[in-house]
Amino acid sequence: MSLWLLLTSTLLLSWTASNSALKITSVNLSIEPNANVIRNTSVTLRCKAGVLAYGTEAPNRVYTIYKDDNVIYNKTTSSSEDFFYNLPEARVSNNGKYRCMINIMGEKMASEVVTLTVTGMSTPILRLNKANITEGEVVTATCLAPGETGSLLFSFYDGSKEVDKIGLNSNSVRFLPKGIGDHIIHCSYSVFIMPNLFKSQRSNAVTVKVKELSLEPILKISPQNNVYEGDTLNITCSVSDSREDYRDAELLLSQGNKILQRGNTSIHVSWTARATSLKLTIECWLYVGNVAKVDNKTVSVIELFSVPTLKMSPPEVFQGDSIRLICQSERLSYNRLGGENLIYSLEPLEYHMSRAGNGVFAGNAKTIDFNYTCTAAAKGIKKKSNVLTIRPKVSVSAPKIWVSGNAILGRKIEIFCLSNTGTPPITYTLWKTNEQKQIAIVQEFSKPANFTVYISEPEELIKYFCSANNGGKKPYSSDKLHAAVIEPMTEAHLMVLPISGDISEGNSVTLICSFKGTPPVTVRWFRDGVPNALETTTTKINTTNYPFILSKEHSDKYYCKAENRANSVDSNRVNLVVGMAMWKKLLIPGIVILVVSSLVLVGFVLFIRSRRGKRETAAELSVKPASPKSDDSLTVTLTHDTEVYNAATDAASFYDDKEGRVTNGTRGSVASLPADIINRSSCSIPASV
């Protein structure tokens, strides 16, 4: 077993070594004798491969020939010689791009592409099954392309006109030469090689003689003159030579697009004439194979009576009005009628209408649109009128009148007038008292009339009203126009209460804004430099107020803005100066007096102490002279409290006698402290111990 495994491994290693040593170095494809040849030349494709291999044993080679990327040949060989692919008697169908691929034990390589071009094609040959035919016969033509291969497409010509094209590889066709006389027929073919088409020269020409068909259709009509509606016409359609047997012949009798009858050799019809037009055309058709011949005759037909017309009287009606429908033929052939009257009928008769005479129908207009037709009949002939659509009108209702938007005094305003019901067109008229002012015609349903007027007085608007009419018995009028006339804001005035009172901190003040204009009026209070309103109120009277408690910060200019639905106006500006509160005015003098008194008292005390020290020093000196060696001297310095002084000074400057007012006043004088207090600074008292 071990020996078998060793042998197998050795063989595998040997095969792998030999396989890995094989290498395809090149593959070349050439065309012999040349890449450009003429038809019938024998062409050889030579595929030469360069291969490096290990060992002496030659492995199998697989050669593949491609034409335009399609495989056309495969061969396996163990020979290392060049591979040959032969194209004996080359044809145009062999044109293309060729390539050779070699595969040796899974290793592949392909050659570069080479192109083969073959020129020259065989001359086509045309054959016909018959050269002499009768009009309507079919000819079978066959086109041959001797020795040609590939995909062929054949074309057939009658003179210069192509009559058919067939393919691929089908070369016979059946066609019908059109027209009497000689027809020169030829053919050609094309070799189709994607994406090109190579066309041959023309074939031989073959003459086909076509003789006229001896049969002719014959049409006879009796009578042909003085024909009236209702008369019977005897019509015969036949062939010229019924002795000759044409099994595929067919006769057809027609009038317009209507076939009256059909047969083989003879047709006879008794037909009642109808005056569908002033002239009646009858046609007799003969069909033999693909040949069609016709004989036609025209008969003038006189109307027995004209198509009736249906009319309504009166031409315009309202819902429920009495109407008469009249059906009448304008033209009659009295002689042919022989005293017979036309009979008129209405459809539908039973719907709100009754007969009031021959061709006259009476009734009442309905509330909806309705269609009627009438029919006139005599001697078996019936004619129907066109459809008459009756559209009863709806009477207008009393219109409504109103104003668009706000009616502002001194400006143009729009007045609208509208009837809720009524068939257009509707004529609207605007009146002022009894005087006609404007007229408007409205063509659309539910669309109001629009009038523009100018109002100069508040009482003027109520004088307007409008009327509407759409052709009825009488017009309808609206009520008088009731709408508020807005007088624009003309002026606004601002005042302050109290007028001459105390305008000082802590007191109440009221800004009063008065104005002229139609309420409601919206009043906004503003302070200069502040974009937002301080207060907004709406009033129905011509004045309003804004009260508030004063503080020092309220000193500024104030105004009000009054606005109604017409416009807005600004008032005059009031300068409000807020004075000091009364308790502050009383407090300042008290503080000043208290400070002054304190300063006087301090000065007096200092003065007394100064005098007392002098006496004691003098007494001591008189008792005990001063000794120069004594160094226990004492110096006492009394300094006036500058803080007390500054407080008094600030209090004096704060007290400025200012009074609150609503004017542009100046400050009062500033209270002053005594000059001796200001000048007083300090005193020094020397003392010795």
Side-chain angles (χ1 to χ4, degrees), residues 438-456:
Q438 299 179 40
I439 294 176
I441 299 176
V442 177
Q443 302 288 345
E444 300 177 28
F445 182 73
S446 296
K447 182 179 180 181
N450 186 357
F451 305 101
T452 302
V453 299
Y454 180 84
I455 300 300
S456 58

Side-chain angles (χ1 to χ4, degrees), residues 78-286:
S78 60
S79 174
S80 61
E81 299 295 326
D82 293 350
F83 174 73
F84 297 95
Y85 177 70
N86 296 317
L87 296 173
E89 297 184 351
R91 299 287 188 264
V92 170
S93 59
N94 297 132
N95 286 357
K97 296 179 180 180
Y98 291 85
R99 182 163 52 92
C100 173
M101 177 178 284
I102 185 171
N103 184 346
I104 304 176
M105 300 179 68
E107 185 168 350
K108 300 178 182 179
M109 180 175 284
S111 70
E112 292 185 357
V113 172
V114 293
T115 301
L116 173 64
T117 303
V118 181
T119 57
M121 301 170 67
S122 64
T123 302
I125 300 173
L126 176 65
R127 293 177 181 175
L128 303 179
N129 66 333
K130 60 179 74 173
N132 297 294
I133 62 173
T134 302
E135 184 183 12
E137 286 189 69
V138 175
V139 174
T140 300
T142 303
C143 190
L144 303 176
E148 291 298 334
T149 60
S151 300
L152 305 181
L153 180 66
F154 293 90
S155 300
F156 296 86
Y157 300 87
D158 184 351
S160 59
K161 183 178 180 181
E162 186 176 48
V163 295
D164 208 344
K165 179 179 290 186
I166 59 173
L168 297 169
N169 299 324
S170 178
N171 63 342
S172 292
V173 65
R174 286 167 53 88
F175 71 97
L176 175 68
K178 295 182 179 179
I180 300 169
D182 293 345
H183 292 261
I184 309 300
I185 311 299
H186 69 273
C187 72
S188 65
Y189 68 92
S190 298
V191 179
F192 182 66
I193 304 174
M194 183 72 69
N196 300 314
L197 198 66
F198 298 89
K199 190 171 183 180
S200 73
Q201 59 185 335
R202 292 173 51 173
S203 71
N204 58 305
V206 179
T207 301
V208 176
K209 295 183 179 295
V210 181
K211 67 177 182 178
E212 185 178 4
L213 182 67
S214 60
L215 292 181
E216 294 287 343
I218 299 175
L219 176 63
K220 294 181 181 179
I221 300 176
S222 179
Q224 277 191 286
N225 299 316
N226 202 26
V227 177
Y228 282 82
E229 284 183 303
D231 289 353
T232 300
L233 297 178
N234 294 311
I235 305 172
T236 301
C237 178
S238 60
V239 295
S240 59
D241 188 0
S242 60
R243 294 172 300 175
E244 198 167 345
D245 184 19
Y246 286 90
R247 287 176 295 178
D248 56 348
E250 182 183 19
L251 288 172
L252 189 146
L253 185 65
S254 66
Q255 190 270 316
N257 295 324
K258 182 179 180 181
I259 297 176
L260 303 179
Q261 197 170 350
R262 62 198 317 163
N264 292 327
T265 58
S266 181
I267 300 174
H268 179 76
V269 175
S270 295
W271 188 63
T272 301
R274 306 279 180 179
T276 55
S277 62
L278 296 178
K279 292 183 179 182
L280 189 66
T281 300
I282 306 296
E283 296 172 331
C284 175
W285 288 91
L286 171 63

Side-chain angles (χ1 to χ4, degrees), residues 647-682:
T649 305
D650 290 344
S653 65
F654 178 71
Y655 178 58
D656 59 356
D657 292 340
K658 181 169 66 177
E659 296 291 337
R661 52 194 175 274
V662 190
T663 62
N664 291 325
T666 59
R667 289 180 177 270
S669 60
V670 179
S672 302
L673 293 175
D676 58 341
I677 296 177
I678 297 173
N679 294 329
R680 190 179 300 159
S681 59
S682 64

